[in-house]
C-alpha cells in the first residue's frame, strides 16, 4: 500500500461498510487500477466500483497523487496553487460578514492589498479578487461563514490562483496571522 493512500486509511476504515478489512481491500484494488487516470476518474472509480464515499474518495485520490508526485501539497488537480485557513470567532455571523464587506472594518484587520468583491451571499459566502498577499501575483479568495452558535462563527477562507508552492506557504502564514487579527478585533 502506498504512503499517500495509507494516510487516509483511518478515515476510510471508520466510515466504510464492512469495516476496516473490507475498506482496506477496496482501497488497494482501486489504487492498483488508478495508473494513468486523471483525478476525477480515479475518484469516480473509487465511488462507483469500490463503494468508497465521495469525500473519502477525494482524500484517497489526493493522497495517491501526492505519493506519485502528480501534485504537491497546496496544488489542485488542475495544476493551480491554493492555500486556506479558518478560525472560529466569538462573534455573530453578521459581524464576520461585515468584516469582509465593510471597507472601514476590513482595513482594520486587512490593511494591505486591493480587495474587490466578485460575489456575496450575506452571512453565507463571499468571493473576492485579492492582491497584496505576500508571495506573488493576485489571487482569488473564497470565504464561507458558518454559525456555530448564536454569537460564534467559523470563517473558512481559500486563496486560489497562487503562483507556486512558495506562494502557498506565504499565503498560509499571511492568512493565519490576518485571521488571528480579525478574531482579536471582533472579540475585543
Amino acid at each position: 500500500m502506498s504512503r499517500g493512500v495509507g494516510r487516509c486509511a483511518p478515515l476510510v476504515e471508520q466510515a466504510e461498510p464492512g469495516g476496516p478489512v473490507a475498506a482496506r481491500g477496496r482501497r488497494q484494488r482501486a489504487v492498483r487500477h488508478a495508473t494513468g487516470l486523471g483525478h476525477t476518474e480515479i475518484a469516480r472509480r473509487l465511488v462507483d466500483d469500490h463503494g468508497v464515499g465521495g469525500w473519502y474518495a477525494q482524500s484517497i485520490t489526493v493522497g495517491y497523487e501526492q505519493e506519485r508526485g502528480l501534485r504537491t501539497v497546496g496544488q489542485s488537480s488542475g495544476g493551480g496553487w491554493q492555500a486556506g485557513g479558518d478560525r472560529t470567532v466569538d462573534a455573530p455571523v453578521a459581524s464576520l460578514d461585515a468584516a469582509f464587506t465593510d471597507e472601514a472594518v476590513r482595513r482594520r484587520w486587512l490593511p494591505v492589498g486591493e480587495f474587490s468583491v466578485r460575489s456575496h451571499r450575506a452571512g453565507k459566502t463571499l468571493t473576492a479578487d485579492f492582491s497584496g498577499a505576500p508571495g506573488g501575483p493576485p489571487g482569488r479568495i473564497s470565504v464561507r461563514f458558518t454559525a456555530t452558535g448564536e454569537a460564534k462563527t467559523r470563517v473558512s477562507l481559500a486563496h486560489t490562483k497562487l503562483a507556486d508552492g512558495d506562494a502557498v506557504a506565504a499565503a498560509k502564514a499571511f492568512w493565519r496571522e490576518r485571521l488571528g487579527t480579525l478574531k482579536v478585533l471582533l472579540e475585543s
Side-chain angles (χ1 to χ4, degrees):
M1 182 182 332
S2 72
R3 289 185 312 263
V5 174
R7 284 191 303 248
C8 299
L11 295 174
V12 174
E13 291 169 1
Q14 290 170 13
E16 291 304 312
V21 173
R24 191 175 309 111
R26 281 193 301 276
R27 192 174 55 254
Q28 288 171 335
R29 284 190 306 277
V31 168
R32 279 196 305 271
H33 296 100
T35 303
L37 301 178
H39 176 89
T40 303
E41 185 62 26
I42 295 170
R44 185 177 297 125
R45 284 192 181 185
L46 284 167
V47 172
D48 295 345
D49 299 348
H50 301 282
V52 175
W55 186 88
Y56 298 105
Q58 293 295 323
S59 296
I60 292 168
T61 303
V62 169
Y64 169 81
E65 290 168 337
Q66 289 174 347
E67 161 71 21
R68 296 295 187 273
L70 302 173
R71 77 159 94 178
T72 62
V73 175
Q75 190 175 26
S76 71
S77 61
W81 296 88
Q82 58 193 16
D86 54 37
R87 189 69 65 147
T88 299
V89 181
D90 289 333
V93 171
S95 296
L96 270 292
D97 189 82
F100 282 86
T101 57
D102 182 321
E103 185 174 355
V105 176
R106 186 175 59 244
R107 288 287 178 201
R108 293 176 62 198
W109 68 274
L110 187 61
V112 298
E114 295 298 318
F115 191 94
S116 175
V117 175
R118 296 180 61 86
S119 67
H120 178 228
R121 289 179 42 217
K124 297 193 181 296
T125 61
L126 176 135
T127 303
D129 290 328
F130 178 70
S131 62
R140 181 161 300 150
I141 63 166
S142 297
V143 182
R144 178 173 302 279
F145 307 105
T146 306
T148 58
E150 276 189 41
K152 189 176 257 190
T153 305
R154 182 156 197 87
V155 59
S156 302
L157 183 141
H159 191 149
T160 61
K161 300 186 179 260
L162 295 170
D164 54 28
D166 292 337
V168 169
K172 281 186 177 194
F174 175 80
W175 288 113
R176 183 179 307 116
E177 194 268 330
R178 291 292 86 209
L179 292 175
T181 300
L182 173 62
K183 178 179 175 71
V184 169
L185 172 69
L186 294 180
E187 290 182 353
S188 57

